[in-house]
Amino acid sequence: MACGGVILSNSLSFYQKRIVMSSRVQEKNGGASIPHVLSVAGSDSGAGAGIQADLKTCAARGVYCSTVITAVTAQNTVGVQAVHAVPEDFVAQQLKSVLSDMQVDVVKSGMLPSVGVVKALLQSLAEFSVRALVVDPVMVSTSGDVLAGPSILSTFREELLPMADIVTPNIKEASALLGGIRLETVADMRTAAELLHALGPRNVLVKGGDLPGSLDAVDIFFNGEHFYELRSSRIKTHNTHGTGCTLASCIAAELAKGSPMLTAVRVAKRYVETALEYSKDILIGNGIQGPFDHLLRLKSGSHSFRRKDAFNPSDLFLYAVTDSGMNKKWGRSMVDAVAEAIQGGATIVQLREKDAETRDFLETAKSCLAVCRSHGVPLLINDRIDVALASDADGSKLSKHGIGGADYIGCGGVYSTSTKANNPTIGLDGLKTVCSASKLPVVAIGGINASNAGTVMGMGVPNLKGVAVVSALFDRENVLAETKKLHALLMETSSSSKKQ
């Protein structure tokens, strides 16, 4: 029988360790350099799109972002009131300043308002090598405002696209680049992706967020050999300003971290979906198209990042245990996985990481903690008290130690599981025995999924407060959907038990 205890405390921050190290120091010491994206784009005074969106996206993805501003706009949630292009020679000076000094991995281009600016970018890329070029052909804002004239189209087609590792037009931009062809179906998008690929970019992503009559948000990815139809839930919200900029800069960020192209695209699409879902009800500005929260922190109550309440046994109801291997398999980060699980109804999160370096795990823990705190969900660190203390997490789950001072007991495996080798099972009878003998709240763990969670929680034994799950959430393509389904099942079971 395997049982583990956990110590939760709101005073864990007494131990703090700051890790400050520049990329140059890391390189001198043989460490990895900091992933670096250079955004070449326009400034959005409303901070929902453009340079501002790129900065926030890269920050959320753990990537450094430098900037070259090509235009300054006066815009808000109502629309674009004015555009002032930055002189082309000054754009060139900005490019040289950054590229001659910093080790840029990926360049992401957004609003390029003139032929001269495009040529300045191409000249800089010829002089300073980078790993990849992500082209977001910004010509019309989502609200319909024109940001680049038709004179630039031929330069895009003939000179910029052949240099791109990926181009990410929406259906309006794809139509403009292809001479005005109509794009009204997914089949049309496939045709457009193929025609755009013939212009020279190595990969094409045609975004179908504005596709009429589509119940899902459908994008088409084409790498010259294979088509991939990428679907996600269509979030009902007016807070969609900057989705295109965000998607492209997230792709750039993931490429800078070394991800393959398709993986980077999948991660970016999932990130945008997560941010839209989180931000669907926030209110900034009075226009018809608001911005969304890239860092998942703006909701009420999130400004105070410290949980002020003590441990509540009800937190154990749907206990999500992360698995980095599963997340890698599905092309998502730990932070994205945690965000989706919480949005689906997870009531407590445990970070389990076996192989990551301490520094990387600590940074991941801090990012996940920000997401958890913004929703009032406790975060535990598995078997790493040092990381729990340094990140100011809500506690540490200890699996191989005594349980003195613990707040609850994790008991299992109830069923056989593939997440642990040679893990003995105790079955429902063993779980009943532990629950009856325990003076602490109990959470059941081990092989629990949507097919048996109702049976476990429906036993009605004392002290059983929830179920802990791993594969049932994180070894699935859509964590959000799976968590929602499991949470609904547990709620139904709980309701039925109370009526009996």
Side-chain angles (χ1 to χ4, degrees):
M1 186 179 298
C3 296
V6 66
I7 301 172
L8 273 80
S9 170
N10 290 321
S11 60
L12 285 177
S13 60
F14 74 87
Y15 175 84
Q16 296 180 350
K17 182 177 181 181
R18 180 174 297 175
I19 299 176
V20 180
M21 187 176 293
S22 71
S23 60
R24 286 179 177 173
V25 172
Q26 287 179 323
E27 289 170 355
K28 288 179 181 178
N29 291 329
S33 62
I34 303 297
H36 186 152
V37 169
L38 168 60
S39 171
V40 184
S43 171
D44 173 5
S45 56
I51 285 286
Q52 288 83 350
D54 297 342
L55 285 166
K56 287 184 281 188
T57 301
C58 287
R61 307 307 305 172
V63 171
Y64 186 80
C65 183
S66 54
T67 62
V68 167
I69 297 176
T70 61
V72 179
T73 67
Q75 62 177 299
N76 50 27
T77 61
V78 176
V80 179
Q81 289 79 50
V83 177
H84 177 72
V86 174
E88 295 163 2
D89 60 344
F90 193 71
V91 172
Q93 284 183 299
Q94 293 180 75
L95 285 163
K96 185 174 182 179
S97 291
V98 175
L99 292 170
S100 65
D101 174 55
M102 300 176 173
Q103 184 58 52
V104 173
D105 296 298
V106 178
V107 170
K108 177 260 178 181
S109 70
M111 181 181 175
L112 304 176
S114 69
V115 171
V117 167
V118 176
K119 291 185 178 296
L121 173 59
L122 293 173
Q123 184 175 346
S124 294
L125 292 175
E127 185 177 355
F128 302 99
S129 62
V130 297
R131 188 186 304 169
L133 171 63
V134 176
V135 173
D136 184 25
V138 177
M139 289 171 280
V140 180
S141 72
T142 312
S143 58
D145 297 287
V146 176
L147 300 175
S151 62
I152 201 172
L153 286 175
S154 62
T155 306
F156 267 53
R157 286 191 290 256
E158 297 169 13
E159 299 187 51
L160 184 62
L161 295 190
M163 294 291 293
D165 290 272
I166 183 170
V167 58
T168 63
N170 58 35
I171 56 175
K172 293 178 182 178
E173 292 160 347
S175 174
L177 288 168
L178 294 172
I181 67 171
R182 296 175 65 86
L183 302 180
E184 298 178 339
T185 66
V186 173
D188 292 341
M189 292 170 62
R190 285 175 172 256
T191 299
E194 195 167 17
L195 291 172
L196 286 169
H197 188 271
L199 296 176
R202 279 158 284 290
N203 299 275
V204 176
L205 180 69
V206 178
K207 301 173 296 187
D210 297 324
L211 192 68
S214 175
L215 297 177
D216 297 328
V218 185
D219 299 339
I220 297 297
F221 176 80
F222 182 56
N223 60 11
E225 296 183 5
H226 304 289
F227 288 96
Y228 296 85
E229 191 172 301
L230 309 177
R231 290 181 176 267
S232 62
S233 301
R234 186 177 290 279
I235 310 300
K236 294 182 179 180
T237 177
H238 75 285
N239 296 324
T240 58
H241 183 50
T243 49
C245 306
T246 298
L247 184 75
S249 56
C250 188
I251 292 172
E254 296 307 312
L255 292 176
K257 291 190 284 188
S259 295
M261 183 62 74
L262 181 57
T263 299
V265 170
R266 290 186 185 276
V267 169
K269 186 169 176 62
R270 192 171 291 113
Y271 168 69
V272 171
E273 181 187 14
T274 300
L276 287 174
E277 173 68 28
Y278 174 83
S279 310
K280 62 184 179 182
D281 298 322
I282 65 174
L283 182 61
I284 298 175
N286 301 302
I288 61 173
Q289 189 186 41
F292 55 94
D293 179 13
H294 294 75
L295 300 175
L296 311 180
R297 295 184 182 183
L298 292 180
K299 285 188 175 179
S300 60
S302 64
H303 304 99
S304 176
F305 281 166
R306 182 172 300 283
R307 276 176 56 91
K308 301 182 184 300
D309 52 327
F311 169 66
N312 187 335
S314 65
D315 289 337
L316 302 174
F317 185 65
L318 179 46
Y319 187 129
V321 183
T322 67
D323 186 285
S324 57
M326 294 175 187
N327 290 329
K328 184 177 181 180
K329 169 185 173 181
W330 292 102
R332 58 176 167 255
S333 71
M334 188 79 81
V335 179
D336 286 343
V338 168
E340 290 185 42
I342 291 175
Q343 290 164 24
T347 54
I348 192 168
V349 174
Q350 176 188 318
L351 291 190
R352 186 175 67 179
E353 178 58 77
K354 302 295 185 181
D355 302 320
E357 296 291 335
T358 296
R359 181 187 64 200
D360 295 335
F361 190 20
L362 176 57
E363 291 307 310
T364 297
K366 288 179 178 178
S367 297
C368 290
L369 183 64
V371 176
C372 289
R373 291 276 165 86
S374 70
H375 291 79
V377 171
L379 177 71
L380 312 180
I381 308 297
N382 184 70
D383 283 340
R384 290 293 303 268
I385 295 179
D386 58 333
V387 174
L389 292 171
S391 65
D392 196 25
D394 296 293
S396 179
K397 186 264 183 184
L398 308 177
S399 58
K400 298 179 181 179
H401 299 77
I403 59 173
D407 289 285
Y408 74 87
I409 293 175
C411 183
V414 178
Y415 303 103
S416 61
T417 175
S418 60
T419 60
K420 288 188 177 181
N422 303 317
N423 191 45
T425 59
I426 61 172
L428 296 177
D429 290 338
L431 178 61
K432 288 180 182 179
T433 300
V434 172
C435 290
S436 299
S438 175
K439 295 181 179 180
L440 295 174
V442 176
V443 61
I445 190 169
I448 297 174
N449 52 48
S451 68
N452 56 37
T455 301
V456 174
M457 290 301 292
M459 293 192 302
V461 296
N463 295 320
L464 181 60
K465 301 299 181 181
V467 296
V469 290
V470 188
S471 302
L473 301 186
F474 298 110
D475 199 14
R476 301 291 189 275
E477 182 175 9
N478 193 325
V479 175
L480 176 63
E482 295 299 329
T483 312
K484 283 183 177 179
K485 181 170 66 176
L486 186 54
H487 185 269
L489 185 153
L490 293 174
M491 290 294 292
E492 182 180 352
T493 302
S494 176
S495 178
S496 299
S497 298
K498 290 178 180 178
K499 291 179 181 179
Q500 295 176 355

